[in-house]
């Protein structure tokens, strides 16, 4: 933790995600998305560096890496995620954050399993293990770590379900999407309000990437959209408060993301895709 910013596994990117998603995959058989392609199984690596520092406790430098290993199958979606980040606040003061997470979300978005560990300077500061089940209009959560606990998260979407909704909105020509998100973060007890802003579609012949995405011919014919997701504490008006954090990226029509910007409030980190491996995804019958 540094200032008011902290590292957590965001429906990554990705993150996370992040960064993870496909339109029309609401059935357990994972039908192709609206763009005609199923969600791509892939291994992506992003190199991180400081984009800007604007808080009172400014940073001199940030270096790090995200490894994002996503698997898509008819039954659901698996993720293995790791983010290692070194933060330099100057005068020899450094902090090393090491976030490791795995998750599984079934294709119907009825269940979500997650496990995450966060180390700060090699010291375990967060250890979360649990699962969530959709029951009616709400989500029931059962945690085994950091302590045994059961509670209702109310009406919320899971991480991959969230990204599916974003792609669906993009295909429908919508520019805004507001939903509550549960991703097991903050000791598994946090539900966030999210506001997603979707920019104008980028056609395949526009703004051709120069990162690892440029070397992948399957991506050359795909549309993509600039997306920014802001996360707010649930229970507050997201239009009148500063987000807890936000993530920006370009989202391909098969769920792959590039050009990451992770904004933690006091500072922002950019993530350049330096490696991308597309893995075989078995078709659903």
């Amino acid at each position: 933790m540094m200032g008011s910013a902290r590292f957590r596994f965001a429906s990554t990117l990705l993150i996370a995600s992040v960064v993870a998603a496909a339109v029309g995959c609401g059935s357990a058989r994972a039908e192709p998305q609206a763009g005609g392609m199923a969600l791509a199984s892939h291994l992506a690596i992003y190199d991180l560096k400081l984009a800007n520092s604007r808080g009172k406790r400014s940073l001199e430098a940030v270096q790090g890496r995200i490894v994002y290993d996503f698997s898509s199958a008819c039954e659901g979606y698996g993720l293995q995620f790791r983010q290692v980040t070194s933060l330099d606040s100057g005068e020899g003061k450094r902090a090393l954050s090491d976030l490791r997470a795995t998750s599984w979300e079934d294709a119907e978005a009825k269940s979500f399993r997650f496990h995450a560990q966060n180390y700060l300077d090699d010291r375990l500061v967060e250890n979360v293990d649990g699962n969530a089940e959709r029951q009616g209009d709400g989500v029931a959560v059962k945690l085994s770590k950091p302590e045994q606990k059961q509670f209702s998260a109310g009406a919320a979407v899971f991480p991959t379900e969230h990204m599916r909704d974003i792609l669906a909105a993009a295909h429908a020509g919508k520019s805004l999407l507001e939903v509550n998100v549960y991703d097991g973060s903050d000791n598994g007890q946090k539900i966030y309000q999210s506001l997603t802003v979707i920019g104008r579609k980028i056609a395949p012949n526009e703004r051709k990437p120069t990162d690892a995405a440029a070397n992948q011919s399957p991506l050359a014919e795909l549309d993509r959209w600039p997306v920014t997701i802001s996360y707010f504490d649930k229970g507050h008006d997201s239009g009148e408060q500063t987000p807890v954090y936000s993530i920006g990226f370009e989202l391909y029509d098969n769920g792959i993301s590039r050009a990451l910007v992770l904004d933690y409030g006091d500072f922002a980190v950019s993530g350049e895709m330096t490696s991308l491996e597309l893995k075989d995804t078995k078709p659903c019958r």
Side-chain angles (χ1 to χ4, degrees), residues 99-121:
L99 177 59
R100 310 167 189 181
T102 60
S103 65
W104 170 261
E105 185 176 336
D106 86 313
E108 291 186 331
K110 291 184 176 180
S111 64
F112 174 55
R113 301 194 306 267
F114 53 91
H115 176 68
Q117 293 180 313
N118 194 11
Y119 293 84
L120 184 62
D121 293 331

Side-chain angles (χ1 to χ4, degrees), residues 123-141:
R123 180 174 62 88
L124 182 64
V125 295
E126 190 173 36
N127 188 13
V128 183
D129 191 88
N131 64 79
E133 301 285 339
R134 193 170 305 283
Q135 296 181 356
D137 295 332
V139 171
V141 179

Side-chain angles (χ1 to χ4, degrees), residues 57-255:
R57 301 179 182 181
S58 61
L59 292 174
E60 295 291 333
V62 173
Q63 291 182 319
R65 176 166 291 181
I66 289 174
V67 178
Y68 186 93
D69 191 351
F70 183 80
S71 298
S72 173
C74 296
E75 297 81 8
Y77 313 100
L79 175 65
Q80 296 185 63
F81 175 93
R82 187 172 184 182
Q83 178 178 339
V84 178
T85 314
S86 174
L87 304 96
D88 184 354
S89 58
E91 299 180 353
K93 297 180 180 179
R94 295 177 181 269
L96 182 68
S97 172
D98 185 352
L99 177 59
R100 310 167 189 181
T102 60
S103 65
W104 170 261
E105 185 176 336
D106 86 313
E108 291 186 331
K110 291 184 176 180
S111 64
F112 174 55
R113 301 194 306 267
F114 53 91
H115 176 68
Q117 293 180 313
N118 194 11
Y119 293 84
L120 184 62
D121 293 331
D122 296 321
R123 180 174 62 88
L124 182 64
V125 295
E126 190 173 36
N127 188 13
V128 183
D129 191 88
N131 64 79
E133 301 285 339
R134 193 170 305 283
Q135 296 181 356
D137 295 332
V139 171
V141 179
K142 181 183 293 186
L143 300 176
S144 58
K145 294 178 182 179
E147 61 182 354
Q148 291 190 353
K149 186 173 184 178
Q150 298 184 40
F151 64 94
S152 172
V157 299
F158 299 138
T160 304
E161 180 187 11
H162 186 204
M163 299 302 283
R164 292 202 319 247
D165 289 346
I166 291 171
L167 273 174
H171 276 277
K174 298 179 181 179
S175 59
L176 295 176
L177 177 68
E178 292 185 78
V179 293
N180 293 339
V181 179
Y182 179 78
D183 64 4
S185 62
D186 285 355
N187 284 321
Q189 300 185 46
K190 193 77 170 182
I191 302 96
Y192 285 97
Q193 292 178 325
S194 72
L195 173 64
T196 301
V197 178
I198 305 168
R200 184 184 68 84
K201 180 174 66 177
I202 304 170
N205 60 346
E206 293 183 87
R207 293 162 49 185
K208 294 186 176 180
T210 57
D211 55 12
N215 301 321
Q216 295 290 343
S217 57
L219 300 183
E221 301 301 320
L222 293 183
D223 295 327
R224 64 189 196 272
W225 290 265
V227 173
T228 300
I229 309 174
S230 298
Y231 294 87
F232 302 84
D233 284 325
K234 188 176 182 298
H236 296 278
D237 184 353
S238 62
E240 298 181 359
Q241 72 169 150
T242 302
V244 177
Y245 79 98
S246 63
I247 177 171
F249 51 95
E250 290 183 359
L251 180 63
Y252 278 98
D253 204 13
N254 64 352

